[in-house]
Amino acid sequence: MRFRPSIQLAFVSVVIVLIASAVGFRATVSSLNLYLRKEPVALQQSLDTIPTKLGRWKRVGLDSRLGEAMVESLGTRFYLDRQYAIDGNPANGVMTLHIAYYTGMIDAVPHVPERCWGAAGLNMVNQPAAILLPIDQSKWDLVSGPKNVSTGVIYPTAKVIDLVTRREEVVYMPIGETEMSVTVFQDEQNSSSRLVGGYLFIANARFTSSPNVVKTYAFDLSSRSSYYCKVQCSMFVNESEQPVDKWSELTADLLSELLPSLMRRLPDWTLIEASQSKEN
């Protein structure tokens, strides 16, 4: 079947326009230093090297390993599922810590746990609410770090002890408020306790409790690379103990010890910012 010359000419013209548009779009994106596809950033250390003792918190049992179906649902193989208790004694209450790391993704929607808790047969008592945790920053240096390129805010610094060399190291802490999105669930089989769970994200070294804001931070078009990390804490608390207040107190205590060690394992975003600044 042959088309008339006028139709062939129109088809060729459309193809030429599309090719020119694609080339022009790429050239424009390149000239503006915009990055639509993010380069992955490797962890500095595996998440399972986070100390099993964090202040007065000690690991209970062994780290959990997820099945393939759960890993696929989670969307990453870089995760840590671990339980801690004060003095390692489950009688003091067991805090389940879940950390998941994502990088090299294109505008992905972060996995949030509310559906998982609901699917486990728990009934949601309240809608997720942002709660500011009183993280102990008394040992942080809040004024001597470099500035975040996007905001101009100074990175706080903290010190950790390397488990191998036993040397003290300085790590750069995320900027922003340590808010967690918190939800309370009730188990119909145990009406005397509540499951309180909350999570926050660290995206390109910035805190947020909002999955939508994660996309804003981690998929900033001006950044060549990106990552985000979800930190989730959940615990059964007796209803008579003001569950959210009790959970907030204990979670803040655990995270105060955890965050410097976690940042030692996440990418050093100050180095990535410095490298990109030199390229530009």
Side-chain angles (χ1 to χ4, degrees), residues 44-86:
Q44 295 189 78
Q45 296 180 22
S46 174
L47 294 175
D48 60 12
T49 64
I50 289 173
T52 56
K53 183 178 185 301
L54 295 167
R56 59 179 183 155
W57 295 83
K58 295 181 181 179
R59 183 175 67 175
V60 176
L62 300 177
D63 297 347
S64 299
R65 303 306 302 172
L66 303 179
E68 284 300 316
M70 288 294 293
V71 170
E72 183 177 354
S73 176
L74 185 63
T76 180
R77 293 187 176 276
F78 303 107
Y79 69 89
L80 175 68
D81 260 354
R82 179 179 291 174
Q83 292 186 323
Y84 285 92
I86 294 174

mmCIF file of all heavy atoms in Angstrom, residues 44-86:
data_model
loop_
_atom_site.group_PDB
_atom_site.id
_atom_site.type_symbol
_atom_site.label_atom_id
_atom_site.label_comp_id
_atom_site.label_asym_id
_atom_site.label_seq_id
_atom_site.Cartn_x
_atom_site.Cartn_y
_atom_site.Cartn_z
ATOM 1 N N GLN A 44 27.275 3.970 53.171
ATOM 2 C CA GLN A 44 28.661 3.908 53.631
ATOM 3 C C GLN A 44 28.940 2.581 54.336
ATOM 4 O O GLN A 44 30.030 2.023 54.219
ATOM 5 C CB GLN A 44 28.955 5.064 54.593
ATOM 6 C CG GLN A 44 28.869 6.439 53.959
ATOM 7 C CD GLN A 44 29.392 7.510 54.892
ATOM 8 O OE1 GLN A 44 30.595 7.692 55.047
ATOM 9 N NE2 GLN A 44 28.485 8.230 55.537
ATOM 10 N N GLN A 45 27.951 2.103 55.061
ATOM 11 C CA GLN A 45 28.051 0.814 55.738
ATOM 12 C C GLN A 45 26.673 0.160 55.725
ATOM 13 O O GLN A 45 25.646 0.843 55.642
ATOM 14 C CB GLN A 45 28.525 0.976 57.189
ATOM 15 C CG GLN A 45 29.921 1.544 57.356
ATOM 16 C CD GLN A 45 30.310 1.675 58.821
ATOM 17 O OE1 GLN A 45 29.763 1.003 59.689
ATOM 18 N NE2 GLN A 45 31.260 2.554 59.103
ATOM 19 N N SER A 46 26.656 -1.151 55.819
ATOM 20 C CA SER A 46 25.391 -1.878 55.834
ATOM 21 C C SER A 46 24.565 -1.490 57.061
ATOM 22 O O SER A 46 25.107 -1.231 58.144
ATOM 23 C CB SER A 46 25.664 -3.384 55.845
ATOM 24 O OG SER A 46 24.461 -4.102 55.992
ATOM 25 N N LEU A 47 23.256 -1.469 56.896
ATOM 26 C CA LEU A 47 22.379 -1.096 58.003
ATOM 27 C C LEU A 47 22.472 -2.072 59.172
ATOM 28 O O LEU A 47 22.258 -1.689 60.327
ATOM 29 C CB LEU A 47 20.930 -1.005 57.512
ATOM 30 C CG LEU A 47 20.631 0.110 56.498
ATOM 31 C CD1 LEU A 47 19.194 0.002 56.008
ATOM 32 C CD2 LEU A 47 20.884 1.484 57.105
ATOM 33 N N ASP A 48 22.795 -3.332 58.883
ATOM 34 C CA ASP A 48 22.849 -4.298 59.982
ATOM 35 C C ASP A 48 24.100 -4.150 60.847
ATOM 36 O O ASP A 48 24.274 -4.887 61.823
ATOM 37 C CB ASP A 48 22.703 -5.737 59.477
ATOM 38 C CG ASP A 48 23.800 -6.143 58.500
ATOM 39 O OD1 ASP A 48 24.810 -5.416 58.373
ATOM 40 O OD2 ASP A 48 23.642 -7.194 57.845
ATOM 41 N N THR A 49 24.978 -3.182 60.485
ATOM 42 C CA THR A 49 26.128 -2.894 61.350
ATOM 43 C C THR A 49 25.791 -1.849 62.413
ATOM 44 O O THR A 49 26.653 -1.502 63.226
ATOM 45 C CB THR A 49 27.336 -2.398 60.530
ATOM 46 O OG1 THR A 49 27.013 -1.139 59.904
ATOM 47 C CG2 THR A 49 27.723 -3.409 59.464
ATOM 48 N N ILE A 50 24.568 -1.338 62.396
ATOM 49 C CA ILE A 50 24.145 -0.443 63.473
ATOM 50 C C ILE A 50 24.291 -1.194 64.791
ATOM 51 O O ILE A 50 23.894 -2.364 64.892
ATOM 52 C CB ILE A 50 22.691 0.015 63.256
ATOM 53 C CG1 ILE A 50 22.623 0.985 62.064
ATOM 54 C CG2 ILE A 50 22.119 0.679 64.502
ATOM 55 C CD1 ILE A 50 21.217 1.373 61.666
ATOM 56 N N PRO A 51 24.867 -0.580 65.807
ATOM 57 C CA PRO A 51 25.137 -1.305 67.064
ATOM 58 C C PRO A 51 23.892 -1.966 67.650
ATOM 59 O O PRO A 51 22.787 -1.414 67.586
ATOM 60 C CB PRO A 51 25.667 -0.208 67.990
ATOM 61 C CG PRO A 51 26.260 0.814 67.067
ATOM 62 C CD PRO A 51 25.377 0.806 65.852
ATOM 63 N N THR A 52 24.098 -3.131 68.210
ATOM 64 C CA THR A 52 23.002 -3.841 68.875
ATOM 65 C C THR A 52 22.741 -3.269 70.263
ATOM 66 O O THR A 52 21.745 -3.617 70.890
ATOM 67 C CB THR A 52 23.316 -5.344 68.983
ATOM 68 O OG1 THR A 52 24.569 -5.512 69.663
ATOM 69 C CG2 THR A 52 23.415 -5.970 67.596
ATOM 70 N N LYS A 53 23.624 -2.406 70.723
ATOM 71 C CA LYS A 53 23.420 -1.695 71.988
ATOM 72 C C LYS A 53 23.467 -0.198 71.702
ATOM 73 O O LYS A 53 24.457 0.317 71.182
ATOM 74 C CB LYS A 53 24.486 -2.059 73.016
ATOM 75 C CG LYS A 53 24.273 -1.405 74.382
ATOM 76 C CD LYS A 53 25.338 -1.828 75.381
ATOM 77 C CE LYS A 53 25.047 -1.278 76.780
ATOM 78 N NZ LYS A 53 24.964 0.198 76.815
ATOM 79 N N LEU A 54 22.386 0.481 71.999
ATOM 80 C CA LEU A 54 22.273 1.922 71.778
ATOM 81 C C LEU A 54 21.871 2.568 73.105
ATOM 82 O O LEU A 54 20.703 2.525 73.493
ATOM 83 C CB LEU A 54 21.222 2.227 70.702
ATOM 84 C CG LEU A 54 21.534 1.716 69.290
ATOM 85 C CD1 LEU A 54 20.294 1.802 68.406
ATOM 86 C CD2 LEU A 54 22.680 2.509 68.673
ATOM 87 N N GLY A 55 22.860 3.122 73.803
ATOM 88 C CA GLY A 55 22.558 3.663 75.121
ATOM 89 C C GLY A 55 22.076 2.556 76.036
ATOM 90 O O GLY A 55 22.720 1.518 76.186
ATOM 91 N N ARG A 56 20.911 2.753 76.625
ATOM 92 C CA ARG A 56 20.372 1.720 77.517
ATOM 93 C C ARG A 56 19.535 0.682 76.773
ATOM 94 O O ARG A 56 18.996 -0.244 77.378
ATOM 95 C CB ARG A 56 19.537 2.375 78.614
ATOM 96 C CG ARG A 56 18.353 3.203 78.111
ATOM 97 C CD ARG A 56 17.587 3.797 79.273
ATOM 98 N NE ARG A 56 16.402 4.539 78.825
ATOM 99 C CZ ARG A 56 15.336 4.739 79.578
ATOM 100 N NH1 ARG A 56 15.292 4.251 80.809
ATOM 101 N NH2 ARG A 56 14.302 5.430 79.120
ATOM 102 N N TRP A 57 19.428 0.828 75.445
ATOM 103 C CA TRP A 57 18.654 -0.106 74.632
ATOM 104 C C TRP A 57 19.555 -1.217 74.107
ATOM 105 O O TRP A 57 20.633 -0.962 73.585
ATOM 106 C CB TRP A 57 18.001 0.621 73.458
ATOM 107 C CG TRP A 57 16.984 1.636 73.862
ATOM 108 C CD1 TRP A 57 17.215 2.924 74.243
ATOM 109 C CD2 TRP A 57 15.570 1.449 73.929
ATOM 110 N NE1 TRP A 57 16.037 3.558 74.543
ATOM 111 C CE2 TRP A 57 15.003 2.668 74.359
ATOM 112 C CE3 TRP A 57 14.727 0.368 73.664
ATOM 113 C CZ2 TRP A 57 13.636 2.837 74.529
ATOM 114 C CZ3 TRP A 57 13.361 0.535 73.825
ATOM 115 C CH2 TRP A 57 12.827 1.757 74.258
ATOM 116 N N LYS A 58 19.082 -2.460 74.231
ATOM 117 C CA LYS A 58 19.819 -3.612 73.720
ATOM 118 C C LYS A 58 18.911 -4.444 72.819
ATOM 119 O O LYS A 58 17.699 -4.524 73.042
ATOM 120 C CB LYS A 58 20.332 -4.483 74.871
ATOM 121 C CG LYS A 58 21.368 -3.803 75.758
ATOM 122 C CD LYS A 58 21.839 -4.746 76.853
ATOM 123 C CE LYS A 58 22.862 -4.080 77.766
ATOM 124 N NZ LYS A 58 23.304 -5.000 78.851
ATOM 125 N N ARG A 59 19.540 -5.042 71.818
ATOM 126 C CA ARG A 59 18.768 -5.867 70.887
ATOM 127 C C ARG A 59 18.148 -7.061 71.598
ATOM 128 O O ARG A 59 18.763 -7.672 72.474
ATOM 129 C CB ARG A 59 19.657 -6.354 69.738
ATOM 130 C CG ARG A 59 18.909 -7.168 68.691
ATOM 131 C CD ARG A 59 19.779 -7.523 67.509
ATOM 132 N NE ARG A 59 20.847 -8.451 67.866
ATOM 133 C CZ ARG A 59 21.683 -8.994 66.990
ATOM 134 N NH1 ARG A 59 21.581 -8.683 65.702
ATOM 135 N NH2 ARG A 59 22.633 -9.815 67.389
ATOM 136 N N VAL A 60 16.929 -7.388 71.178
ATOM 137 C CA VAL A 60 16.225 -8.572 71.676
ATOM 138 C C VAL A 60 16.119 -9.569 70.522
ATOM 139 O O VAL A 60 15.526 -9.266 69.480
ATOM 140 C CB VAL A 60 14.818 -8.218 72.196
ATOM 141 C CG1 VAL A 60 14.074 -9.480 72.618
ATOM 142 C CG2 VAL A 60 14.909 -7.235 73.356
ATOM 143 N N GLY A 61 16.697 -10.744 70.679
ATOM 144 C CA GLY A 61 16.638 -11.747 69.620
ATOM 145 C C GLY A 61 17.517 -11.377 68.439
ATOM 146 O O GLY A 61 18.418 -10.531 68.529
ATOM 147 N N LEU A 62 17.237 -12.003 67.300
ATOM 148 C CA LEU A 62 18.000 -11.774 66.079
ATOM 149 C C LEU A 62 17.225 -10.862 65.131
ATOM 150 O O LEU A 62 16.007 -10.722 65.230
ATOM 151 C CB LEU A 62 18.290 -13.110 65.382
ATOM 152 C CG LEU A 62 19.102 -14.131 66.190
ATOM 153 C CD1 LEU A 62 19.237 -15.431 65.396
ATOM 154 C CD2 LEU A 62 20.471 -13.574 66.559
ATOM 155 N N ASP A 63 17.951 -10.234 64.221
ATOM 156 C CA ASP A 63 17.304 -9.399 63.216
ATOM 157 C C ASP A 63 16.390 -10.262 62.344
ATOM 158 O O ASP A 63 16.722 -11.401 62.003
ATOM 159 C CB ASP A 63 18.342 -8.711 62.332
ATOM 160 C CG ASP A 63 19.238 -7.760 63.117
ATOM 161 O OD1 ASP A 63 18.897 -7.445 64.271
ATOM 162 O OD2 ASP A 63 20.277 -7.340 62.569
ATOM 163 N N SER A 64 15.249 -9.701 61.965
ATOM 164 C CA SER A 64 14.295 -10.425 61.125
ATOM 165 C C SER A 64 14.683 -10.300 59.655
ATOM 166 O O SER A 64 15.197 -9.264 59.221
ATOM 167 C CB SER A 64 12.878 -9.868 61.321
ATOM 168 O OG SER A 64 12.463 -10.018 62.660
ATOM 169 N N ARG A 65 14.438 -11.363 58.907
ATOM 170 C CA ARG A 65 14.641 -11.349 57.461
ATOM 171 C C ARG A 65 13.292 -11.527 56.786
ATOM 172 O O ARG A 65 12.522 -12.436 57.114
ATOM 173 C CB ARG A 65 15.586 -12.473 57.021
ATOM 174 C CG ARG A 65 16.951 -12.439 57.694
ATOM 175 C CD ARG A 65 17.646 -11.103 57.530
ATOM 176 N NE ARG A 65 17.833 -10.739 56.136
ATOM 177 C CZ ARG A 65 18.282 -9.554 55.743
ATOM 178 N NH1 ARG A 65 18.544 -8.604 56.636
ATOM 179 N NH2 ARG A 65 18.447 -9.299 54.466
ATOM 180 N N LEU A 66 12.992 -10.651 55.850
ATOM 181 C CA LEU A 66 11.705 -10.682 55.171
ATOM 182 C C LEU A 66 11.725 -11.677 54.020
ATOM 183 O O LEU A 66 12.759 -11.900 53.387
ATOM 184 C CB LEU A 66 11.362 -9.287 54.639
ATOM 185 C CG LEU A 66 11.315 -8.152 55.671
ATOM 186 C CD1 LEU A 66 10.980 -6.834 54.983
ATOM 187 C CD2 LEU A 66 10.306 -8.452 56.766
ATOM 188 N N GLY A 67 10.561 -12.253 53.745
ATOM 189 C CA GLY A 67 10.421 -13.131 52.597
ATOM 190 C C GLY A 67 10.441 -12.337 51.302
ATOM 191 O O GLY A 67 10.317 -11.106 51.300
ATOM 192 N N GLU A 68 10.583 -13.041 50.185
ATOM 193 C CA GLU A 68 10.701 -12.370 48.891
ATOM 194 C C GLU A 68 9.484 -11.508 48.578
ATOM 195 O O GLU A 68 9.607 -10.421 48.021
ATOM 196 C CB GLU A 68 10.915 -13.406 47.786
ATOM 197 C CG GLU A 68 12.316 -13.982 47.743
ATOM 198 C CD GLU A 68 13.368 -12.903 47.505
ATOM 199 O OE1 GLU A 68 13.149 -12.039 46.638
ATOM 200 O OE2 GLU A 68 14.403 -12.924 48.193
ATOM 201 N N ALA A 69 8.296 -11.994 48.925
ATOM 202 C CA ALA A 69 7.082 -11.220 48.648
ATOM 203 C C ALA A 69 7.083 -9.913 49.435
ATOM 204 O O ALA A 69 6.699 -8.855 48.914
ATOM 205 C CB ALA A 69 5.843 -12.043 48.985
ATOM 206 N N MET A 70 7.525 -9.979 50.690
ATOM 207 C CA MET A 70 7.578 -8.777 51.512
ATOM 208 C C MET A 70 8.649 -7.811 51.017
ATOM 209 O O MET A 70 8.452 -6.593 51.018
ATOM 210 C CB MET A 70 7.845 -9.165 52.964
ATOM 211 C CG MET A 70 6.668 -9.825 53.659
ATOM 212 S SD MET A 70 5.279 -8.675 53.851
ATOM 213 C CE MET A 70 5.980 -7.506 55.007
ATOM 214 N N VAL A 71 9.785 -8.354 50.582
ATOM 215 C CA VAL A 71 10.852 -7.502 50.050
ATOM 216 C C VAL A 71 10.374 -6.784 48.793
ATOM 217 O O VAL A 71 10.634 -5.591 48.594
ATOM 218 C CB VAL A 71 12.117 -8.338 49.753
ATOM 219 C CG1 VAL A 71 13.140 -7.519 48.969
ATOM 220 C CG2 VAL A 71 12.736 -8.840 51.053
ATOM 221 N N GLU A 72 9.654 -7.518 47.953
ATOM 222 C CA GLU A 72 9.120 -6.903 46.734
ATOM 223 C C GLU A 72 8.133 -5.794 47.077
ATOM 224 O O GLU A 72 8.133 -4.726 46.458
ATOM 225 C CB GLU A 72 8.441 -7.962 45.869
ATOM 226 C CG GLU A 72 7.913 -7.422 44.549
ATOM 227 C CD GLU A 72 7.310 -8.501 43.670
ATOM 228 O OE1 GLU A 72 7.402 -9.692 44.038
ATOM 229 O OE2 GLU A 72 6.738 -8.158 42.620
ATOM 230 N N SER A 73 7.294 -6.032 48.078
ATOM 231 C CA SER A 73 6.341 -5.012 48.507
ATOM 232 C C SER A 73 7.057 -3.809 49.114
ATOM 233 O O SER A 73 6.658 -2.661 48.895
ATOM 234 C CB SER A 73 5.370 -5.610 49.526
ATOM 235 O OG SER A 73 4.498 -4.625 50.039
ATOM 236 N N LEU A 74 8.121 -4.080 49.860
ATOM 237 C CA LEU A 74 8.890 -3.003 50.486
ATOM 238 C C LEU A 74 9.590 -2.143 49.447
ATOM 239 O O LEU A 74 9.732 -0.929 49.611
ATOM 240 C CB LEU A 74 9.916 -3.605 51.450
ATOM 241 C CG LEU A 74 10.752 -2.646 52.291
ATOM 242 C CD1 LEU A 74 9.862 -1.833 53.225
ATOM 243 C CD2 LEU A 74 11.802 -3.421 53.094
ATOM 244 N N GLY A 75 10.055 -2.771 48.365
ATOM 245 C CA GLY A 75 10.677 -2.018 47.279
ATOM 246 C C GLY A 75 12.168 -1.823 47.412
ATOM 247 O O GLY A 75 12.761 -1.050 46.656
ATOM 248 N N THR A 76 12.805 -2.511 48.357
ATOM 249 C CA THR A 76 14.251 -2.402 48.522
ATOM 250 C C THR A 76 14.773 -3.614 49.281
ATOM 251 O O THR A 76 14.052 -4.212 50.088
ATOM 252 C CB THR A 76 14.636 -1.123 49.285
ATOM 253 O OG1 THR A 76 16.064 -1.069 49.432
ATOM 254 C CG2 THR A 76 14.010 -1.094 50.673
ATOM 255 N N ARG A 77 16.031 -3.949 49.017
ATOM 256 C CA ARG A 77 16.696 -5.013 49.772
ATOM 257 C C ARG A 77 17.597 -4.450 50.866
ATOM 258 O O ARG A 77 18.245 -5.204 51.586
ATOM 259 C CB ARG A 77 17.509 -5.906 48.824
ATOM 260 C CG ARG A 77 16.633 -6.702 47.871
ATOM 261 C CD ARG A 77 17.425 -7.711 47.062
ATOM 262 N NE ARG A 77 16.538 -8.515 46.231
ATOM 263 C CZ ARG A 77 15.886 -9.591 46.657
ATOM 264 N NH1 ARG A 77 16.043 -10.008 47.904
ATOM 265 N NH2 ARG A 77 15.092 -10.263 45.846
ATOM 266 N N PHE A 78 17.638 -3.135 50.951
ATOM 267 C CA PHE A 78 18.452 -2.497 51.984
ATOM 268 C C PHE A 78 17.544 -2.115 53.149
ATOM 269 O O PHE A 78 16.898 -1.062 53.130
ATOM 270 C CB PHE A 78 19.162 -1.262 51.425
ATOM 271 C CG PHE A 78 20.028 -1.549 50.228
ATOM 272 C CD1 PHE A 78 19.637 -1.146 48.957
ATOM 273 C CD2 PHE A 78 21.225 -2.234 50.368
ATOM 274 C CE1 PHE A 78 20.425 -1.410 47.852
ATOM 275 C CE2 PHE A 78 22.024 -2.504 49.268
ATOM 276 C CZ PHE A 78 21.622 -2.096 48.004
ATOM 277 N N TYR A 79 17.481 -2.972 54.137
ATOM 278 C CA TYR A 79 16.582 -2.717 55.258
ATOM 279 C C TYR A 79 17.144 -3.357 56.522
ATOM 280 O O TYR A 79 18.053 -4.195 56.488
ATOM 281 C CB TYR A 79 15.182 -3.268 54.972
ATOM 282 C CG TYR A 79 15.100 -4.779 54.929
ATOM 283 C CD1 TYR A 79 14.854 -5.522 56.082
ATOM 284 C CD2 TYR A 79 15.286 -5.470 53.725
ATOM 285 C CE1 TYR A 79 14.796 -6.908 56.040
ATOM 286 C CE2 TYR A 79 15.228 -6.853 53.678
ATOM 287 C CZ TYR A 79 14.988 -7.567 54.839
ATOM 288 O OH TYR A 79 14.943 -8.935 54.800
ATOM 289 N N LEU A 80 16.572 -2.938 57.649
ATOM 290 C CA LEU A 80 16.899 -3.528 58.947
ATOM 291 C C LEU A 80 15.609 -3.678 59.729
ATOM 292 O O LEU A 80 14.852 -2.713 59.885
ATOM 293 C CB LEU A 80 17.874 -2.633 59.721
ATOM 294 C CG LEU A 80 18.202 -3.082 61.159
ATOM 295 C CD1 LEU A 80 19.022 -4.373 61.137
ATOM 296 C CD2 LEU A 80 18.949 -1.988 61.920
ATOM 297 N N ASP A 81 15.339 -4.877 60.195
ATOM 298 C CA ASP A 81 14.211 -5.164 61.086
ATOM 299 C C ASP A 81 14.788 -5.707 62.388
ATOM 300 O O ASP A 81 15.344 -6.813 62.400
ATOM 301 C CB ASP A 81 13.274 -6.204 60.459
ATOM 302 C CG ASP A 81 12.055 -5.584 59.821
ATOM 303 O OD1 ASP A 81 11.873 -4.365 59.955
ATOM 304 O OD2 ASP A 81 11.282 -6.313 59.186
ATOM 305 N N ARG A 82 14.653 -4.937 63.454
ATOM 306 C CA ARG A 82 15.307 -5.323 64.708
ATOM 307 C C ARG A 82 14.440 -4.880 65.886
ATOM 308 O O ARG A 82 13.747 -3.863 65.806
ATOM 309 C CB ARG A 82 16.692 -4.671 64.789
ATOM 310 C CG ARG A 82 17.472 -4.984 66.054
ATOM 311 C CD ARG A 82 18.845 -4.314 66.016
ATOM 312 N NE ARG A 82 19.718 -4.924 65.011
ATOM 313 C CZ ARG A 82 20.923 -4.458 64.691
ATOM 314 N NH1 ARG A 82 21.381 -3.362 65.284
ATOM 315 N NH2 ARG A 82 21.662 -5.071 63.793
ATOM 316 N N GLN A 83 14.506 -5.626 66.959
ATOM 317 C CA GLN A 83 13.787 -5.267 68.180
ATOM 318 C C GLN A 83 14.776 -4.889 69.276
ATOM 319 O O GLN A 83 15.817 -5.531 69.441
ATOM 320 C CB GLN A 83 12.903 -6.425 68.649
ATOM 321 C CG GLN A 83 11.734 -6.710 67.713
ATOM 322 C CD GLN A 83 10.789 -7.757 68.261
ATOM 323 O OE1 GLN A 83 11.206 -8.718 68.900
ATOM 324 N NE2 GLN A 83 9.498 -7.581 68.016
ATOM 325 N N TYR A 84 14.418 -3.836 70.002
ATOM 326 C CA TYR A 84 15.224 -3.366 71.126
ATOM 327 C C TYR A 84 14.346 -3.308 72.376
ATOM 328 O O TYR A 84 13.126 -3.118 72.288
ATOM 329 C CB TYR A 84 15.775 -1.964 70.868
ATOM 330 C CG TYR A 84 16.929 -1.883 69.897
ATOM 331 C CD1 TYR A 84 16.708 -1.676 68.535
ATOM 332 C CD2 TYR A 84 18.249 -1.978 70.341
ATOM 333 C CE1 TYR A 84 17.765 -1.578 67.647
ATOM 334 C CE2 TYR A 84 19.318 -1.875 69.461
ATOM 335 C CZ TYR A 84 19.070 -1.680 68.114
ATOM 336 O OH TYR A 84 20.124 -1.583 67.245
ATOM 337 N N ALA A 85 14.989 -3.440 73.510
ATOM 338 C CA ALA A 85 14.314 -3.235 74.796
ATOM 339 C C ALA A 85 15.311 -2.596 75.753
ATOM 340 O O ALA A 85 16.530 -2.780 75.616
ATOM 341 C CB ALA A 85 13.799 -4.554 75.371
ATOM 342 N N ILE A 86 14.810 -1.836 76.693
ATOM 343 C CA ILE A 86 15.684 -1.230 77.698
ATOM 344 C C ILE A 86 16.347 -2.343 78.503
ATOM 345 O O ILE A 86 15.672 -3.251 79.005
ATOM 346 C CB ILE A 86 14.882 -0.286 78.613
ATOM 347 C CG1 ILE A 86 14.363 0.909 77.790
ATOM 348 C CG2 ILE A 86 15.742 0.206 79.771
ATOM 349 C CD1 ILE A 86 13.440 1.828 78.556
#
